[in-house]
Amino acid sequence: MPSRRFNSPFGPRLLALISILLLIIFGKPSMLWAQATAGAATVAIDENVFKQAVNPTTIVLVQLDVPRLTLPKDVQDALAADKDAQPLLSWLASIRSAFEPMSDARLTMSIDVPFTEAQSPVRIITAQPKGLDLAKLNENLAVYRFSPAVVEGETISTAPTGNLSTSNKVLVGSDTLPGHRSAFSAAIATVKDLPVQILIVPPAYISSTYEDLMPRLPDAWGGTPTKTITEGVQWIAVGADPANMRLQVTIQSKNAVAAERLLAELPKLTKIISESPQLLRLKPTVNSLKVSSSVINQDRIEVSFSEVQGLGTMTGVVMEAVSALIDPLNVRGKQNRFKQLALAVHNYADANNVLPPNKAARRADGSSYLSWRVHILPYLGESKLYSEFKLDEPWNSQHNLKLLDKMPDLFSSYPVPAFSPATERGYTTIVAPTGEGTIFGGNQPVQFGHIKDGSSNTIFFVEVKPERAVPWTAPIDYEFPVANPAEGLALGSDGKFLCALSDGAVIHLPANVPKETLLHLFQMNDGHDVKLP
């Protein structure tokens, strides 16, 4: 009976989230591995939901048995005190509330790697219950930022507001669909009795692309052959029972050789990954897992955890792993939204000969009644909403304040709500820098000709931290501290912040950009030419 020991906390995004889960599982220094025989498993699943949920680009399925989604009180209290858990808790609460007419439902969330811009990265599907009040369901979905339910045969589906489609029809990999669905079925079988199931099956075209374009991992990751990961992980199944604080993980390899090769490389990989400073905060999460049993067969690894201690560790581990996949989707979605907003500002300027708001939308002293965000609504396809505002009244007048809850989804910088920071309803983190010499910080309308430093050297707007979110209709933006202008900026996992330049370009800049450089970027005519990093 061979014994292997590994030292690692938790991993970042090695080939998306695959390696993260491997490192969670293999990162326990006291873990004992045993050879055993695996039995084949079959699973009964709602075939209609399954067909709707899985397409050739699907990489994650999350199945939730809603009535069984409970946590022990001590864990609830701990999670309530953990600020990092709030976005997840908020979204789970919204799912419960949104699907209140279907409180006994089993929900399936499908996460795809979109092949086109029109494909939604996240969909929620369930079987259509008898006697469903669809109008009531859609009313609830709208409140919690989900699109209206789409009825297809015996299933209903929805997606977070802002996604373009709930359809599972894609234009790639149809020949691989039977095998892809078969892998998901096998993964589900290993966790079929648990109320929370997370199934990860990398689409074949993604694995082959990695193998072709990157035969070996970068030297910083040890130079391991990419096939060690792509063949070592055919699928991963994570199952959790929150009420009993139980977690189990199963990994399927291509064959016994691939499994052994993966295991042999793990000490090197985990050592490299553990040195990343971005992962230090996850050590308590992983260290609070206690292995109750672990079994390795020829091509499958099964691990069970019990006595999970601390801040709702199972939830944290699973969602951290899935967030590694979601993060690139959020990044891409943010960039697209910033581009649309920057284009709308340009279109407003073309129509009005000034940047928003124009003179007619200002008081006698030059201050604005409403934010620049409100005034670009007609250029975002929101003319009807724009017509509802009283443009000569402040944002918090009795009439205009009622429109705060109607914030277009474009002003939410996170396309995947489960992993968005918690902000008040109607608040946005997309703001313009304001202060002396900024485009939106003065009391006079600005023309492009006033931007003496050049539109490619001046920032339109940025994304700020959730605690600096503002009412989207209010003429309030980012009043940055001159001593530390980057203080309020929201940073991604790569340590960079997103901004739109006044020429319409959307870029990421490092948080450690020199203070002087950032101040020059915020100001439109200070006479300094900026060299971007």
Side-chain angles (χ1 to χ4, degrees), residues 143-175:
V143 170
Y144 292 98
R145 295 179 60 202
F146 290 93
S147 61
V150 175
V151 178
E152 298 187 48
E154 298 181 19
T155 68
I156 61 174
S157 58
T158 183
T161 301
N163 288 298
L164 299 182
S165 171
T166 60
S167 173
N168 71 338
K169 296 179 176 62
V170 296
L171 304 176
V172 62
S174 58
D175 57 325

Side-chain angles (χ1 to χ4, degrees), residues 388 390 393-404:
E388 295 181 40
K390 291 188 176 180
E393 293 185 5
W395 73 276
N396 56 355
S397 70
Q398 184 176 3
H399 174 85
N400 285 341
L401 195 58
K402 296 175 183 177
L403 302 174
L404 186 63

Side-chain angles (χ1 to χ4, degrees), residues 193-318:
D193 297 324
L194 296 172
V196 179
Q197 303 168 7
I198 294 89
L199 304 315
I200 301 99
V201 181
Y205 73 91
I206 290 181
S207 297
S208 61
T209 298
Y210 270 112
E211 292 173 1
D212 292 342
L213 300 182
M214 189 172 64
R216 305 186 75 86
L217 298 181
D219 290 340
W221 290 93
T224 301
T226 298
K227 283 190 176 182
T228 299
I229 306 297
T230 58
E231 294 184 353
V233 180
Q234 299 292 285
W235 52 256
I236 301 174
V238 179
D241 182 355
N244 297 304
M245 298 305 292
R246 177 186 166 204
L247 174 68
Q248 71 177 55
V249 182
T250 302
I251 298 177
Q252 178 70 55
S253 297
K254 182 176 182 179
N255 50 45
V257 173
E260 288 297 326
R261 187 182 297 125
L262 177 66
L263 289 172
E265 289 291 332
L266 280 171
K268 179 171 66 175
L269 289 173
T270 55
K271 181 178 184 300
I272 294 169
I273 293 172
S274 67
E275 295 171 355
S276 171
Q278 296 172 306
L279 308 179
L280 294 178
R281 69 182 182 87
L282 296 173
K283 284 185 177 179
T285 299
V286 177
N287 289 337
S288 61
L289 291 173
K290 185 173 183 179
V291 178
S292 60
S293 66
S294 56
V295 177
I296 297 181
N297 65 26
Q298 291 183 351
D299 60 358
R300 182 177 294 182
I301 304 160
E302 298 175 348
V303 183
S304 293
F305 300 91
S306 64
E307 299 180 34
V308 183
Q309 306 161 358
L311 302 178
T313 303
M314 288 188 305
T315 304
V317 167
V318 169

Side-chain angles (χ1 to χ4, degrees), residues 98-173:
F99 288 89
E100 186 273 332
M102 303 167 55
S103 58
D104 60 346
R106 185 179 186 87
L107 302 179
T108 298
M109 180 169 70
S110 176
I111 301 176
D112 302 336
V113 180
F115 194 70
T116 67
E117 292 293 337
Q119 185 184 347
S120 170
V122 178
R123 295 170 290 121
I124 297 178
I125 308 102
T126 188
Q128 183 179 1
K130 293 181 180 179
L132 172 66
D133 185 340
L134 188 60
K136 174 63 175 175
L137 175 61
N138 281 334
E139 182 181 326
N140 283 18
L141 291 174
V143 170
Y144 292 98
R145 295 179 60 202
F146 290 93
S147 61
V150 175
V151 178
E152 298 187 48
E154 298 181 19
T155 68
I156 61 174
S157 58
T158 183
T161 301
N163 288 298
L164 299 182
S165 171
T166 60
S167 173
N168 71 338
K169 296 179 176 62
V170 296
L171 304 176
V172 62

Side-chain angles (χ1 to χ4, degrees), residues 444-473:
Q444 296 298 322
V446 172
Q447 297 177 322
F448 274 109
H450 297 154
I451 306 176
K452 301 299 184 182
D453 294 343
S455 57
S456 62
N457 289 325
T458 310
I459 286 177
F460 258 166
F461 47 85
V462 296
E463 180 190 9
V464 293
K465 298 174 181 177
E467 57 267 28
R468 286 185 174 265
V470 302
W472 76 279
T473 58

Side-chain angles (χ1 to χ4, degrees), residues 279-523:
L279 308 179
L280 294 178
R281 69 182 182 87
L282 296 173
K283 284 185 177 179
T285 299
V286 177
N287 289 337
S288 61
L289 291 173
K290 185 173 183 179
V291 178
S292 60
S293 66
S294 56
V295 177
I296 297 181
N297 65 26
Q298 291 183 351
D299 60 358
R300 182 177 294 182
I301 304 160
E302 298 175 348
V303 183
S304 293
F305 300 91
S306 64
E307 299 180 34
V308 183
Q309 306 161 358
L311 302 178
T313 303
M314 288 188 305
T315 304
V317 167
V318 169
M319 298 313 289
E320 287 286 358
V322 177
S323 70
L325 174 67
I326 293 295
D327 189 53
L329 302 180
N330 267 331
V331 169
R332 190 182 71 170
K334 287 181 189 181
Q335 290 173 326
N336 288 339
R337 292 180 181 201
F338 268 49
K339 289 176 182 177
Q340 291 180 66
L341 295 175
L343 178 61
V345 173
H346 272 261
N347 288 337
Y348 178 98
D350 287 343
N352 293 272
N353 201 35
V354 294
L355 295 165
N358 61 21
K359 188 174 181 179
R362 296 172 181 263
R363 298 181 178 88
D365 63 0
S367 61
S368 304
Y369 291 106
L370 297 161
S371 76
W372 60 271
R373 292 172 289 270
V374 171
H375 291 290
I376 65 173
L377 287 175
Y379 308 95
L380 295 170
E382 294 284 357
S383 295
K384 183 178 182 299
L385 176 57
Y386 186 64
S387 69
E388 295 181 40
F389 283 90
K390 291 188 176 180
L391 303 180
D392 58 351
E393 293 185 5
W395 73 276
N396 56 355
S397 70
Q398 184 176 3
H399 174 85
N400 285 341
L401 195 58
K402 296 175 183 177
L403 302 174
L404 186 63
D405 284 350
K406 293 189 176 184
M407 184 178 81
D409 196 61
L410 273 173
F411 292 119
S412 170
S413 59
Y414 285 77
V416 186
F419 300 89
S420 65
T423 56
E424 292 187 50
R425 188 169 178 80
Y427 276 54
T428 181
T429 54
I430 299 176
V431 295
T434 56
E436 184 179 355
T438 61
I439 291 177
F440 294 97
N443 287 336
Q444 296 298 322
V446 172
Q447 297 177 322
F448 274 109
H450 297 154
I451 306 176
K452 301 299 184 182
D453 294 343
S455 57
S456 62
N457 289 325
T458 310
I459 286 177
F460 258 166
F461 47 85
V462 296
E463 180 190 9
V464 293
K465 298 174 181 177
E467 57 267 28
R468 286 185 174 265
V470 302
W472 76 279
T473 58
I476 304 172
D477 285 272
Y478 178 42
E479 296 185 20
F480 55 89
V482 175
N484 184 13
E487 181 182 69
L489 300 178
L491 304 182
S493 58
D494 58 359
K496 297 181 179 180
F497 66 89
L498 186 65
C499 65
L501 300 176
S502 56
D503 65 354
V506 175
I507 61 174
H508 286 86
L509 291 175
N512 61 357
V513 63
K515 178 186 75 171
E516 293 76 15
T517 298
L518 191 53
L519 288 174
H520 297 329
L521 285 168
F522 283 170
Q523 297 170 335

